[in-house]
PDB file of all heavy atoms in Angstrom:
ATOM      1  N   GLN C 250     -59.649  21.075 -10.460  1.00 96.00           N
ATOM      2  CA  GLN C 250     -59.619  21.182  -8.963  1.00 96.00           C
ATOM      3  C   GLN C 250     -59.650  22.600  -8.650  1.00 96.00           C
ATOM      4  O   GLN C 250     -58.725  23.320  -8.653  1.00 96.00           O
ATOM      5  CB  GLN C 250     -58.254  20.507  -8.428  1.00 96.00           C
ATOM      6  CG  GLN C 250     -58.091  19.024  -8.885  1.00 96.00           C
ATOM      7  CD  GLN C 250     -59.048  18.110  -8.219  1.00 96.00           C
ATOM      8  OE1 GLN C 250     -59.331  18.193  -7.022  1.00 96.00           O
ATOM      9  NE2 GLN C 250     -59.439  17.070  -8.915  1.00 96.00           N
ATOM     10  N   PRO C 251     -60.781  23.178  -8.326  1.00 96.00           N
ATOM     11  CA  PRO C 251     -60.916  24.603  -7.980  1.00 96.00           C
ATOM     12  C   PRO C 251     -60.001  24.932  -6.773  1.00 96.00           C
ATOM     13  O   PRO C 251     -60.119  24.263  -5.808  1.00 96.00           O
ATOM     14  CB  PRO C 251     -62.334  24.697  -7.576  1.00 96.00           C
ATOM     15  CG  PRO C 251     -63.146  23.438  -7.869  1.00 96.00           C
ATOM     16  CD  PRO C 251     -62.053  22.488  -8.083  1.00 96.00           C
ATOM     17  N   PRO C 252     -59.197  25.921  -6.961  1.00 96.00           N
ATOM     18  CA  PRO C 252     -58.242  26.236  -5.719  1.00 96.00           C
ATOM     19  C   PRO C 252     -59.018  26.726  -4.557  1.00 96.00           C
ATOM     20  O   PRO C 252     -58.468  26.533  -3.417  1.00 96.00           O
ATOM     21  CB  PRO C 252     -57.416  27.447  -6.403  1.00 96.00           C
ATOM     22  CG  PRO C 252     -58.153  27.843  -7.626  1.00 96.00           C
ATOM     23  CD  PRO C 252     -58.998  26.875  -8.055  1.00 96.00           C
ATOM     24  N   GLU C 253     -60.287  27.194  -4.718  1.00 95.00           N
ATOM     25  CA  GLU C 253     -61.001  27.690  -3.511  1.00 95.00           C
ATOM     26  C   GLU C 253     -61.755  26.520  -2.866  1.00 95.00           C
ATOM     27  O   GLU C 253     -62.554  26.829  -1.848  1.00 95.00           O
ATOM     28  CB  GLU C 253     -61.914  28.788  -3.852  1.00 95.00           C
ATOM     29  CG  GLU C 253     -63.189  28.400  -4.554  1.00 95.00           C
ATOM     30  CD  GLU C 253     -62.849  28.142  -6.037  1.00 95.00           C
ATOM     31  OE1 GLU C 253     -61.684  28.270  -6.529  1.00 95.00           O
ATOM     32  OE2 GLU C 253     -63.893  27.912  -6.779  1.00 95.00           O
ATOM     33  N   ALA C 254     -61.691  25.342  -3.369  1.00 96.00           N
ATOM     34  CA  ALA C 254     -62.399  24.182  -2.719  1.00 96.00           C
ATOM     35  C   ALA C 254     -62.047  23.959  -1.308  1.00 96.00           C
ATOM     36  O   ALA C 254     -60.869  24.196  -0.832  1.00 96.00           O
ATOM     37  CB  ALA C 254     -62.276  22.977  -3.476  1.00 96.00           C
ATOM     38  N   MET C 255     -62.979  23.582  -0.487  1.00 97.00           N
ATOM     39  CA  MET C 255     -62.769  23.225   0.905  1.00 97.00           C
ATOM     40  C   MET C 255     -62.072  21.939   0.842  1.00 97.00           C
ATOM     41  O   MET C 255     -62.542  20.908   0.267  1.00 97.00           O
ATOM     42  CB  MET C 255     -64.046  23.064   1.701  1.00 97.00           C
ATOM     43  CG  MET C 255     -63.883  22.538   3.011  1.00 97.00           C
ATOM     44  SD  MET C 255     -65.459  22.278   3.915  1.00 97.00           S
ATOM     45  CE  MET C 255     -65.929  23.859   4.140  1.00 97.00           C
ATOM     46  N   LYS C 256     -60.920  21.650   1.636  1.00 97.00           N
ATOM     47  CA  LYS C 256     -60.087  20.461   1.539  1.00 97.00           C
ATOM     48  C   LYS C 256     -60.548  19.555   2.692  1.00 97.00           C
ATOM     49  O   LYS C 256     -60.560  19.975   3.797  1.00 97.00           O
ATOM     50  CB  LYS C 256     -58.660  20.841   1.589  1.00 97.00           C
ATOM     51  CG  LYS C 256     -58.230  21.674   0.340  1.00 97.00           C
ATOM     52  CD  LYS C 256     -56.762  21.736   0.116  1.00 97.00           C
ATOM     53  CE  LYS C 256     -56.372  22.738  -0.923  1.00 97.00           C
ATOM     54  NZ  LYS C 256     -57.334  23.122  -1.915  1.00 97.00           N
ATOM     55  N   ILE C 257     -60.874  18.389   2.246  1.00 97.00           N
ATOM     56  CA  ILE C 257     -61.179  17.303   3.274  1.00 97.00           C
ATOM     57  C   ILE C 257     -60.408  16.052   3.017  1.00 97.00           C
ATOM     58  O   ILE C 257     -60.263  15.702   1.861  1.00 97.00           O
ATOM     59  CB  ILE C 257     -62.691  16.958   3.187  1.00 97.00           C
ATOM     60  CG1 ILE C 257     -63.552  18.186   3.422  1.00 97.00           C
ATOM     61  CG2 ILE C 257     -62.978  15.921   4.261  1.00 97.00           C
ATOM     62  CD1 ILE C 257     -65.059  17.903   3.285  1.00 97.00           C
ATOM     63  N   ARG C 258     -59.752  15.457   3.959  1.00 97.00           N
ATOM     64  CA  ARG C 258     -58.930  14.264   3.748  1.00 97.00           C
ATOM     65  C   ARG C 258     -59.845  13.122   4.035  1.00 97.00           C
ATOM     66  O   ARG C 258     -60.430  12.967   5.098  1.00 97.00           O
ATOM     67  CB  ARG C 258     -57.770  14.213   4.831  1.00 97.00           C
ATOM     68  CG  ARG C 258     -56.445  14.296   4.124  1.00 97.00           C
ATOM     69  CD  ARG C 258     -55.457  14.333   5.187  1.00 97.00           C
ATOM     70  NE  ARG C 258     -54.727  13.063   5.212  1.00 97.00           N
ATOM     71  CZ  ARG C 258     -53.793  12.727   6.259  1.00 97.00           C
ATOM     72  NH1 ARG C 258     -53.745  13.475   7.375  1.00 97.00           N
ATOM     73  NH2 ARG C 258     -53.246  11.541   6.166  1.00 97.00           N
ATOM     74  N   ALA C 259     -59.944  12.060   3.160  1.00 98.00           N
ATOM     75  CA  ALA C 259     -60.606  10.865   3.275  1.00 98.00           C
ATOM     76  C   ALA C 259     -59.573   9.724   3.281  1.00 98.00           C
ATOM     77  O   ALA C 259     -58.907   9.501   2.319  1.00 98.00           O
ATOM     78  CB  ALA C 259     -61.638  10.699   2.187  1.00 98.00           C
ATOM     79  N   ILE C 260     -59.555   9.068   4.456  1.00 97.00           N
ATOM     80  CA  ILE C 260     -58.599   7.844   4.477  1.00 97.00           C
ATOM     81  C   ILE C 260     -59.370   6.620   4.651  1.00 97.00           C
ATOM     82  O   ILE C 260     -60.137   6.442   5.567  1.00 97.00           O
ATOM     83  CB  ILE C 260     -57.665   8.067   5.672  1.00 97.00           C
ATOM     84  CG1 ILE C 260     -56.933   9.475   5.662  1.00 97.00           C
ATOM     85  CG2 ILE C 260     -56.565   7.050   5.845  1.00 97.00           C
ATOM     86  CD1 ILE C 260     -56.463   9.930   6.967  1.00 97.00           C
ATOM     87  N   SER C 261     -59.203   5.654   3.720  1.00 97.00           N
ATOM     88  CA  SER C 261     -59.991   4.481   3.658  1.00 97.00           C
ATOM     89  C   SER C 261     -59.079   3.415   4.539  1.00 97.00           C
ATOM     90  O   SER C 261     -57.946   3.354   4.462  1.00 97.00           O
ATOM     91  CB  SER C 261     -60.204   4.004   2.362  1.00 97.00           C
ATOM     92  OG  SER C 261     -58.939   3.924   1.585  1.00 97.00           O
ATOM     93  N   HIS C 262     -59.912   2.617   5.314  1.00 96.00           N
ATOM     94  CA  HIS C 262     -59.343   1.567   6.055  1.00 96.00           C
ATOM     95  C   HIS C 262     -60.162   0.279   5.680  1.00 96.00           C
ATOM     96  O   HIS C 262     -61.257   0.346   5.113  1.00 96.00           O
ATOM     97  CB  HIS C 262     -59.406   1.789   7.413  1.00 96.00           C
ATOM     98  CG  HIS C 262     -58.751   3.049   7.960  1.00 96.00           C
ATOM     99  ND1 HIS C 262     -57.570   3.006   8.696  1.00 96.00           N
ATOM    100  CD2 HIS C 262     -59.125   4.325   7.865  1.00 96.00           C
ATOM    101  CE1 HIS C 262     -57.293   4.209   8.940  1.00 96.00           C
ATOM    102  NE2 HIS C 262     -58.165   5.005   8.491  1.00 96.00           N
ATOM    103  N   GLN C 263     -59.625  -0.867   6.075  1.00 95.00           N
ATOM    104  CA  GLN C 263     -60.425  -2.122   5.972  1.00 95.00           C
ATOM    105  C   GLN C 263     -61.392  -1.951   7.137  1.00 95.00           C
ATOM    106  O   GLN C 263     -60.901  -2.222   8.362  1.00 95.00           O
ATOM    107  CB  GLN C 263     -59.641  -3.260   5.992  1.00 95.00           C
ATOM    108  CG  GLN C 263     -59.017  -3.722   4.677  1.00 95.00           C
ATOM    109  CD  GLN C 263     -58.190  -5.054   4.634  1.00 95.00           C
ATOM    110  OE1 GLN C 263     -57.377  -5.157   5.603  1.00 95.00           O
ATOM    111  NE2 GLN C 263     -58.309  -5.845   3.721  1.00 95.00           N
ATOM    112  N   TRP C 264     -62.601  -1.751   7.221  1.00 95.00           N
ATOM    113  CA  TRP C 264     -63.632  -1.542   6.157  1.00 95.00           C
ATOM    114  C   TRP C 264     -64.441  -0.305   6.588  1.00 95.00           C
ATOM    115  O   TRP C 264     -65.558  -0.497   6.884  1.00 95.00           O
ATOM    116  CB  TRP C 264     -64.288  -2.808   5.823  1.00 95.00           C
ATOM    117  CG  TRP C 264     -63.520  -3.944   5.350  1.00 95.00           C
ATOM    118  CD1 TRP C 264     -63.268  -3.966   3.983  1.00 95.00           C
ATOM    119  CD2 TRP C 264     -62.951  -4.969   6.014  1.00 95.00           C
ATOM    120  NE1 TRP C 264     -62.489  -5.095   3.816  1.00 95.00           N
ATOM    121  CE2 TRP C 264     -62.333  -5.685   4.907  1.00 95.00           C
ATOM    122  CE3 TRP C 264     -62.938  -5.388   7.296  1.00 95.00           C
ATOM    123  CZ2 TRP C 264     -61.529  -6.873   5.206  1.00 95.00           C
ATOM    124  CZ3 TRP C 264     -62.219  -6.552   7.558  1.00 95.00           C
ATOM    125  CH2 TRP C 264     -61.596  -7.342   6.653  1.00 95.00           C
ATOM    126  N   TRP C 265     -63.766   0.841   6.724  1.00 97.00           N
ATOM    127  CA  TRP C 265     -64.484   2.156   7.096  1.00 97.00           C
ATOM    128  C   TRP C 265     -63.684   3.296   6.519  1.00 97.00           C
ATOM    129  O   TRP C 265     -62.492   3.098   6.136  1.00 97.00           O
ATOM    130  CB  TRP C 265     -64.600   2.165   8.601  1.00 97.00           C
ATOM    131  CG  TRP C 265     -63.371   2.032   9.403  1.00 97.00           C
ATOM    132  CD1 TRP C 265     -62.591   0.972   9.568  1.00 97.00           C
ATOM    133  CD2 TRP C 265     -62.559   3.156  10.013  1.00 97.00           C
ATOM    134  NE1 TRP C 265     -61.379   1.311  10.282  1.00 97.00           N
ATOM    135  CE2 TRP C 265     -61.390   2.636  10.541  1.00 97.00           C
ATOM    136  CE3 TRP C 265     -62.812   4.500   9.977  1.00 97.00           C
ATOM    137  CZ2 TRP C 265     -60.464   3.442  11.192  1.00 97.00           C
ATOM    138  CZ3 TRP C 265     -61.837   5.282  10.715  1.00 97.00           C
ATOM    139  CH2 TRP C 265     -60.702   4.665  11.215  1.00 97.00           C
ATOM    140  N   PHE C 266     -64.409   4.360   6.564  1.00 97.00           N
ATOM    141  CA  PHE C 266     -63.795   5.581   5.982  1.00 97.00           C
ATOM    142  C   PHE C 266     -63.586   6.659   7.138  1.00 97.00           C
ATOM    143  O   PHE C 266     -64.397   6.806   7.985  1.00 97.00           O
ATOM    144  CB  PHE C 266     -64.740   6.214   4.957  1.00 97.00           C
ATOM    145  CG  PHE C 266     -64.774   5.389   3.733  1.00 97.00           C
ATOM    146  CD1 PHE C 266     -65.776   4.586   3.453  1.00 97.00           C
ATOM    147  CD2 PHE C 266     -63.897   5.850   2.654  1.00 97.00           C
ATOM    148  CE1 PHE C 266     -65.868   3.894   2.225  1.00 97.00           C
ATOM    149  CE2 PHE C 266     -63.962   5.265   1.352  1.00 97.00           C
ATOM    150  CZ  PHE C 266     -64.946   4.192   1.302  1.00 97.00           C
ATOM    151  N   GLU C 267     -62.423   7.233   7.143  1.00 97.00           N
ATOM    152  CA  GLU C 267     -62.094   8.283   8.058  1.00 97.00           C
ATOM    153  C   GLU C 267     -61.977   9.591   7.400  1.00 97.00           C
ATOM    154  O   GLU C 267     -61.535   9.689   6.228  1.00 97.00           O
ATOM    155  CB  GLU C 267     -60.690   7.900   8.639  1.00 97.00           C
ATOM    156  CG  GLU C 267     -60.088   8.912   9.575  1.00 97.00           C
ATOM    157  CD  GLU C 267     -58.667   8.618  10.003  1.00 97.00           C
ATOM    158  OE1 GLU C 267     -58.241   7.396   9.736  1.00 97.00           O
ATOM    159  OE2 GLU C 267     -58.043   9.452  10.702  1.00 97.00           O
ATOM    160  N   PHE C 268     -62.512  10.576   8.107  1.00 97.00           N
ATOM    161  CA  PHE C 268     -62.566  11.964   7.448  1.00 97.00           C
ATOM    162  C   PHE C 268     -61.866  12.938   8.291  1.00 97.00           C
ATOM    163  O   PHE C 268     -62.134  13.058   9.495  1.00 97.00           O
ATOM    164  CB  PHE C 268     -63.983  12.427   7.103  1.00 97.00           C
ATOM    165  CG  PHE C 268     -64.724  11.350   6.254  1.00 97.00           C
ATOM    166  CD1 PHE C 268     -65.793  10.736   6.731  1.00 97.00           C
ATOM    167  CD2 PHE C 268     -64.213  11.097   4.852  1.00 97.00           C
ATOM    168  CE1 PHE C 268     -66.539   9.824   5.946  1.00 97.00           C
ATOM    169  CE2 PHE C 268     -64.963  10.206   4.107  1.00 97.00           C
ATOM    170  CZ  PHE C 268     -66.036   9.564   4.678  1.00 97.00           C
ATOM    171  N   GLN C 269     -61.029  13.787   7.711  1.00 97.00           N
ATOM    172  CA  GLN C 269     -60.321  14.815   8.543  1.00 97.00           C
ATOM    173  C   GLN C 269     -60.436  16.135   7.806  1.00 97.00           C
ATOM    174  O   GLN C 269     -60.307  16.362   6.640  1.00 97.00           O
ATOM    175  CB  GLN C 269     -58.739  14.532   8.630  1.00 97.00           C
ATOM    176  CG  GLN C 269     -58.456  13.177   9.452  1.00 97.00           C
ATOM    177  CD  GLN C 269     -57.011  13.100   9.508  1.00 97.00           C
ATOM    178  OE1 GLN C 269     -56.193  14.012   9.369  1.00 97.00           O
ATOM    179  NE2 GLN C 269     -56.564  11.932  10.114  1.00 97.00           N
TER     180      GLN C 269
END
Side-chain angles (χ1 to χ4, degrees):
Chain C
Q250 304 288 322
E253 74 280 5
M255 170 185 295
K256 298 193 190 335
I257 304 174
R258 245 178 107 194
I260 304 159
S261 54
H262 304 254
Q263 278 179 321
W264 293 281
W265 56 283
F266 288 90
E267 174 185 350
F268 304 113
Q269 293 189 7

